[in-house]
Amino acid sequence: MKVFTPVLVFQKMPSGKGRDKSSIQCLECFGKNLYIGTKEGVVEHLTVNSVSGEESLSVREVGKRQMGRSGAISQLTAVPVLNHLLILWDGSVTVLNMFSLEPIPALKKIQNVSLFCVCESAVQTDSVELIAASTKRKIVSIYKVCVDRWECVRQVALPQEPVVLAAHGACLCVATCDRYFLHDYHSQTTLDLFPHNLAKQNIIANKYGKGGFILNGPGSLGMFVMKNGTSQHPPVQWPDGVVDAAVHFPYVLVLQNQTVHIYSILDQQLKQTVSLQSAKSVISTEESVFVVADKEIHRLSPVPMEDQIQELVKRQRVDEALTLLDRVQDLLPKDSYKDLHKNVICTSGMIKFYREDFVEAKELFIKGELDPREIISLYPAMPVVSEDFTPQTTSVSNAKDLRTLSRDDWPTFQQYLSFLDDFLREVRPTGQGQMCPQDIDSALFKLYLEQGEYGKLDQLVSSQNNCNLQMCVPDLEQHKRFFTLGLLYQSQGQHVNAIQTWVKIVEDESEDPSDISVVQHIVNTLSNLEHKPIVLKFADWVLQRDQEAGILIFSKMHASSHIIFAPEEVLTILTNYSVAMILYLEFLVNELHSKEEKHHTTLIKSYIKWILQSIDGDYSNETSREEMRHKLQKLLWQSSFYNADTIYDQITSSFLHVEKAILLGKSGKHKKALQVLVYEEKDQQAAESYCWRTSAGRDRKFTQGIFLTLLQIYLESTHHVIAAVDLLNKNAASFDLVSVLRVLPGSWSMKLVLRFLSESLRGTVHDKRMRGLEMSLAKVETLRHKHAWVEATHEKIRVDRGCVCYSCQKRLTGPEFLRRPTGELTHISCHGGESSQ
């Protein structure tokens, strides 16, 4: 893979006088400026027309300076902040002006230097630090270099003589003949890294980035070491005989055997090789990498990251592309990174998709925010409603034709359809799905309809959706899915069309109403409409078929606070529907707790009318009649808003004797009510229940009176003697013994009323004893309070100048005060104020 493009920058032309022995020894770069140091001691200053271009470059010579008669230029270093060019020649460091190549007279040579490096200070912008290693000595001198002066500020002793030297701030990375180590000359600490057995020309210690060093380690390993001794990247296995290396993130370029090997720092894999004859060193700048040969200088310009990533994606090396993209995120514009990231993710998803790895494919499509229409367009017969949509996904080599797959391998194609369902349902509620809601819902509609998944189809169209009606309505009619068609109309706000479609289903019996609850859906729709004529039209249709369902149209309006009909209007509508009338009146009375006398009276009359009419029906209606009588009696007992006289007149000549008794009791005619139950209804249990129900919540005198009345009625006839005895024996506590003894016939024997007398006497004795016990307890409580009062009044209370009132916190200055039960003292006036409050 091509990650760098080589371009020839400069070629040294032969002099033409015999054999040309001149060659390039070293190179320094700054912006468009190139500084060449030759074997003959010449420094040349060149400029190039562009640093970023990839075509052949025009080079212009700006200046040249001969340092001496002989001797090679060993090292060049530009210091732009001072406009200095530092030159190591003939064992000395000399300073020239970067642009004129003229010497700086104030800066004398530094003698006996074997190698040096420069550190720019982040704090001081008017000076740099020059670290120079002395010839054949284990000493490194630190110089502070300014525009017109320099001075030695420190000398650092090293364990061994340095062969290669690099520095980041106060940290020196030193390579000796047999090992690498880090030395901090501020803290005077040394950290051994690892030994080596390399020849001098293969020892490498070059700095890169912020605080990093690239070293040629043992076993031909390129080691990345930070100035704190740690490593942020795994080592790179490179070939033997490497003579130089430079980092241009995310790649490391190593020179070996006249070949530049380019490795990725991220995965440690070889990405590219470039052959260059007589190459001897590599120099990395912010924009590119320069390779120095004997007669030539080449520049390796990095291929733009966007192009590298796109190329990896085209080759389906998406994992590699993602790794590269994530690590170079800071090097890319934010928008460019975002677009590239989405593209790589989606392409990876496409590869997984065609490999039938659907779970991972779905996750990648969602993560990459893929336009759902890209997936929909891959399926045959799937609609893409948007007219302005054009597929833009990157093609992948393992792509399949799903149309052909649907013909040749239906089971596999079914898996692709299941994936489409899962993917569209998951993105539907998200922002990704809101890009094209109509396309998503229409595709799901088509999928469910064609696959016969009618449950999912009904669920889709019954909720809020964006299905395209022009496409969906004909499809539903063709498949005879009229109930679903009604749901679709309803969800789209076309309620009249929905109801008309459902009415047609019921009338034509085209689908089974019991299975799909067509009438129920009509009721639900009508209860939410605001257009009265439409509701009236179809409500009458529903009531004719099912009065119980029809009444829900009006009751559900109240439940949803969507009321367009007053109760009187509804009652008028229901005039011809007796069952619906009763149900609606029950709803008004029981659910809405109406206090309208008309509603209660009309409901009771409706009950009575239904009961009386049911007498003419068959015997199978007996259960329903009893249930209706139970409702009638319950309402008569509980309600206090009906017209009792009107209702009594209606049932006077009927068999509804219990109801008559309840109505008489409501008017206070309890004796007459009991006579109706005893003589007309002939139900002793009903009479006794009447007494209990009527006396509930009343005082004992009333209870004794009403039970005595029933006893007297029984005693009026010899046929009810047994009933009278049972009444006394079962309800002894409800009678006044003296009153009973007065009305009992003298002919009765003691044996008849023995049980009653025993229980009455037992109750009387019990009551007397309980009253005595209560009186005794009250006396004890009184004595307790008296004892507490006596104790409080006989206790000595010491009052001195330090005593203050509990209420006002002022001193007690006189002998008159009050003492609380809890022991606090207060002024009499303060206590009076508290009492009034």
Side-chain angles (χ1 to χ4, degrees):
M1 182 176 171
K2 185 177 181 180
V3 294
F4 284 89
T5 302
V7 178
L8 178 63
V9 176
F10 173 77
Q11 185 175 20
K12 192 170 182 63
M13 303 305 296
S15 60
K17 298 178 181 180
R19 185 179 179 183
D20 187 7
K21 296 182 180 181
S22 65
S23 64
I24 301 172
Q25 191 71 17
C26 58
L27 176 70
E28 173 65 324
C29 311
F30 172 69
K32 295 183 179 182
N33 300 280
L34 297 182
Y35 299 93
I36 299 173
T38 68
K39 191 176 181 181
E40 293 74 29
V42 177
V43 177
E44 297 184 34
H45 179 198
L46 309 174
T47 59
V48 294
N49 64 340
S50 173
V51 176
S52 59
E54 295 186 3
E55 299 179 354
S56 298
L57 303 172
S58 60
V59 179
R60 182 173 67 90
E61 183 176 313
V62 178
K64 180 186 295 188
R65 186 172 190 85
Q66 179 73 49
M67 298 302 296
R69 295 181 179 180
S70 63
I73 304 295
S74 302
Q75 188 176 346
L76 293 172
T77 299
V79 185
V81 70
L82 303 176
N83 286 340
H84 289 351
L85 180 66
L86 305 182
I87 303 168
L88 178 59
W89 171 76
D90 194 24
S92 302
V93 176
T94 304
V95 182
L96 302 181
N97 182 279
M98 279 181 61
F99 302 104
S100 66
L101 298 185
E102 292 294 328
I104 307 298
L107 299 176
K108 304 298 183 180
K109 292 181 180 180
I110 300 176
Q111 303 289 340
N112 301 318
V113 176
S114 58
L115 59 147
F116 72 89
C117 59
V118 173
C119 287
E120 294 186 6
S121 173
V123 179
Q124 297 181 346
T125 58
D126 59 345
S127 65
V128 297
E129 286 187 342
L130 170 67
I131 298 101
S134 301
T135 305
K136 297 180 181 181
R137 295 181 64 187
K138 301 176 184 178
I139 293 177
V140 171
S141 300
I142 313 298
Y143 292 87
K144 180 180 179 181
V145 183
C146 300
V147 175
D148 55 357
R149 61 186 177 85
W150 56 16
E151 60 177 326
C152 182
V153 295
R154 185 192 299 259
Q155 285 192 330
V156 180
L158 300 177
Q160 291 178 264
E161 181 182 348
V163 176
V164 179
L165 185 65
H168 272 298
C171 179
L172 303 179
C173 181
V174 181
T176 67
C177 61
D178 60 357
R179 62 172 174 151
Y180 293 95
F181 62 86
L182 299 177
H183 182 82
D184 189 308
Y185 58 79
H186 283 168
S187 62
Q188 294 296 317
T189 57
T190 301
L191 176 63
D192 281 323
L193 297 177
F194 44 80
H196 69 81
N197 58 353
L198 301 171
K200 186 175 181 180
Q201 67 271 17
N202 302 123
I203 300 174
I204 301 172
N206 295 329
K207 71 175 183 179
Y208 74 90
K210 297 180 179 180
F213 301 98
I214 177 70
L215 312 178
N216 188 8
S220 299
L221 288 176
M223 309 293 289
F224 301 93
V225 180
M226 302 303 293
K227 61 182 181 180
N228 59 3
T230 63
S231 179
Q232 295 181 342
H233 307 287
V236 173
Q237 183 69 63
W238 57 37
D240 295 334
V242 171
V243 296
D244 203 1
V247 172
H248 192 89
F249 192 81
Y251 301 103
V252 57
L253 297 87
V254 298
L255 183 59
Q256 179 259 354
N257 196 22
Q258 302 185 12
T259 302
V260 178
H261 301 262
I262 304 173
Y263 294 88
S264 170
I265 297 176
L266 307 181
D267 61 9
Q268 299 80 52
Q269 299 300 311
L270 178 66
K271 302 299 179 183
Q272 184 182 0
T273 57
V274 180
S275 297
L276 297 172
Q277 295 295 324
S278 304
K280 58 177 67 174
S281 64
V282 289
I283 301 169
S284 177
T285 66
E286 289 186 3
E287 295 81 12
S288 59
V289 177
F290 289 90
V291 182
V292 179
D294 283 343
K295 303 290 185 181
E296 300 170 342
I297 297 175
H298 298 265
R299 187 183 66 193
L300 301 182
S301 300
V303 175
M305 281 297 166
E306 293 91 334
D307 296 343
Q308 293 185 42
I309 293 167
Q310 293 286 9
E311 181 63 24
L312 287 170
V313 171
K314 289 180 181 178
R315 299 186 183 195
Q316 298 187 29
R317 291 158 62 177
V318 289
D319 293 337
E320 190 176 342
L322 276 176
T323 302
L324 177 60
L325 181 60
D326 289 340
R327 296 300 296 273
V328 300
Q329 177 178 354
D330 295 338
L331 305 179
L332 297 171
K334 186 175 181 180
D335 293 339
S336 177
Y337 168 78
K338 188 175 181 181
D339 293 340
L340 278 172
H341 191 264
K342 288 181 179 180
N343 187 24
V344 176
I345 292 290
C346 293
T347 302
S348 179
M350 279 295 179
I351 295 171
K352 303 288 185 182
F353 173 72
Y354 287 117
R355 289 177 183 170
E356 299 171 22
D357 186 356
F358 296 120
V359 174
E360 193 166 348
K362 181 178 70 173
E363 293 176 355
L364 291 170
F365 288 150
I366 294 174
K367 184 178 179 181
E369 300 179 6
L370 179 68
D371 188 335
R373 292 172 292 187
E374 298 284 357
I375 300 299
I376 296 173
S377 64
L378 300 175
Y379 287 78
M382 279 295 164
V384 176
V385 181
S386 306
E387 297 179 356
D388 58 345
F389 171 72
T390 303
Q392 296 179 347
T393 53
T394 303
S395 59
V396 293
S397 61
N398 66 335
K400 300 176 184 177
D401 183 0
L402 297 187
R403 185 181 299 276
T404 303
L405 188 66
S406 66
R407 294 194 305 264
D408 301 341
D409 190 353
W410 180 252
T412 301
F413 184 68
Q414 282 282 80
Q415 297 179 25
Y416 279 90
L417 292 176
S418 297
F419 166 80
L420 180 64
D421 180 19
D422 292 341
F423 172 67
L424 293 182
R425 280 193 294 113
E426 188 152 344
V427 301
R428 187 171 181 251
T430 65
Q432 188 176 354
Q434 294 308 309
M435 296 166 54
C436 50
Q438 193 173 56
D439 294 277
I440 291 176
D441 288 353
S442 299
L444 286 172
F445 172 89
K446 194 82 172 178
L447 176 64
Y448 296 151
L449 184 63
E450 296 296 335
Q451 296 300 306
E453 298 184 80
Y454 299 130
K456 289 184 176 180
L457 178 63
D458 290 348
Q459 185 179 5
L460 172 68
V461 300
S462 62
S463 59
Q464 184 177 358
N465 64 82
N466 294 277
C467 292
N468 185 285
L469 287 179
Q470 294 180 350
M471 179 197 76
C472 298
V473 172
D475 286 348
L476 289 171
E477 291 175 345
Q478 181 182 353
H479 285 76
K480 300 185 183 302
R481 301 301 303 174
F482 299 108
F483 175 70
T484 304
L485 178 58
L487 292 176
L488 180 60
Y489 278 135
Q490 183 186 35
S491 66
Q492 300 280 349
Q494 299 186 18
H495 301 291
V496 176
N497 288 340
I499 297 173
Q500 289 175 340
T501 302
W502 288 329
V503 168
K504 185 178 179 182
I505 293 174
V506 177
E507 293 179 346
D508 297 347
E509 298 183 354
S510 57
E511 293 183 49
D512 185 4
S514 63
D515 291 341
I516 53 180
S517 305
V518 178
V519 174
Q520 187 62 47
H521 279 82
I522 295 175
V523 168
N524 292 338
T525 304
L526 289 173
S527 66
N528 289 295
L529 288 182
E530 297 182 357
H531 199 266
K532 279 188 176 182
I534 296 176
V535 176
L536 290 173
K537 175 183 176 181
F538 290 105
D540 190 64
W541 180 88
V542 175
L543 287 165
Q544 290 176 14
R545 283 158 177 78
D546 188 343
Q547 292 189 41
E548 292 185 7
I551 201 61
L552 295 175
I553 297 172
F554 306 103
S555 62
K556 285 188 174 184
M557 288 181 180
H558 288 275
S560 61
S561 300
H562 171 70
I563 304 172
I564 61 173
F565 292 97
E568 302 307 320
E569 291 182 90
V570 178
L571 292 173
T572 303
I573 296 169
L574 301 177
T575 302
N576 298 324
Y577 304 102
S578 58
V579 175
M581 174 74 79
I582 291 175
L583 292 173
Y584 186 69
L585 286 169
E586 288 179 343
F587 172 73
L588 291 177
V589 171
N590 299 328
E591 301 295 331
L592 299 186
H593 307 292
S594 171
K595 296 182 180 180
E596 292 286 336
E597 183 269 339
K598 180 181 179 181
H599 296 163
H600 289 252
T601 303
T602 306
L603 178 57
I604 294 172
K605 286 183 175 181
S606 299
Y607 284 152
I608 295 170
K609 182 179 179 181
W610 191 94
I611 293 169
L612 295 177
Q613 289 177 348
S614 68
I615 296 297
D616 301 328
D618 54 16
Y619 182 77
S620 62
N621 203 30
E622 184 71 24
T623 303
S624 299
R625 184 165 58 250
E626 291 302 319
E627 291 177 355
M628 192 65 75
R629 283 198 71 181
H630 176 73
K631 288 183 180 180
L632 172 60
Q633 293 172 14
K634 181 179 179 181
L635 183 59
L636 289 173
W637 276 116
Q638 294 180 350
S639 176
S640 59
F641 301 105
Y642 56 84
N643 189 323
D645 295 334
T646 303
I647 296 170
Y648 186 80
D649 293 339
Q650 183 179 352
I651 64 174
T652 301
S653 58
S654 71
F655 65 91
L656 302 176
H657 305 304
V658 176
E659 289 77 2
K660 293 179 193 176
I662 297 172
L663 291 169
L664 289 169
K666 286 285 185 177
S667 302
K669 302 175 182 178
H670 299 296
K671 183 173 182 179
K672 191 173 182 180
L674 289 170
Q675 287 174 337
V676 169
L677 293 173
V678 173
Y679 295 119
E680 297 184 31
E681 182 67 16
K682 298 179 181 180
D683 188 343
Q684 298 170 6
Q685 183 61 44
E688 188 175 335
S689 297
Y690 176 88
C691 291
W692 281 116
R693 183 130 193 190
T694 305
S695 61
R698 308 292 290 270
D699 58 20
R700 187 173 184 179
K701 184 177 180 180
F702 179 86
T703 303
Q704 291 174 345
I706 197 167
F707 272 92
L708 184 63
T709 301
L710 179 58
L711 177 63
Q712 290 174 328
I713 293 172
Y714 283 155
L715 293 176
E716 290 174 358
S717 171
T718 57
H719 299 292
H720 296 106
V721 173
I722 296 176
V725 173
D726 289 342
L727 180 67
L728 286 171
N729 291 334
K730 289 168 58 179
N731 303 280
S734 301
F735 286 96
D736 176 59
L737 179 59
V738 176
S739 299
V740 172
L741 292 175
R742 287 174 181 170
V743 300
L744 284 180
S747 59
W748 280 27
S749 67
M750 181 68 71
K751 187 176 181 181
L752 281 177
V753 293
L754 181 60
R755 178 181 171 186
F756 164 73
L757 292 173
S758 299
E759 292 186 5
S760 295
L761 289 173
R762 186 182 297 114
T764 302
V765 172
H766 175 73
D767 291 343
K768 182 179 179 181
R769 289 175 177 175
M770 288 299 296
R771 286 194 295 272
L773 180 61
E774 291 172 357
M775 186 176 295
S776 298
L777 290 173
K779 289 180 178 179
V780 170
E781 184 68 13
T782 302
L783 289 173
R784 189 179 67 82
H785 283 292
K786 284 185 177 181
H787 178 266
W789 178 78
V790 170
E791 290 289 329
T793 55
H794 286 75
E795 181 181 350
K796 291 183 179 180
I797 301 173
R798 180 181 179 83
V799 180
D800 55 24
R801 295 181 180 179
C803 292
V804 295
C805 174
Y806 178 77
S807 299
C808 67
Q809 297 300 312
K810 295 181 180 179
R811 290 184 179 180
L812 297 173
T813 58
E816 296 176 349
F817 55 87
L818 292 176
R819 181 180 183 274
R820 292 169 174 258
T822 52
E824 296 88 359
L825 305 180
T826 64
H827 291 113
I828 296 176
S829 59
C830 291
H831 179 73
E834 290 179 1
S835 300
S836 63
Q837 291 177 1

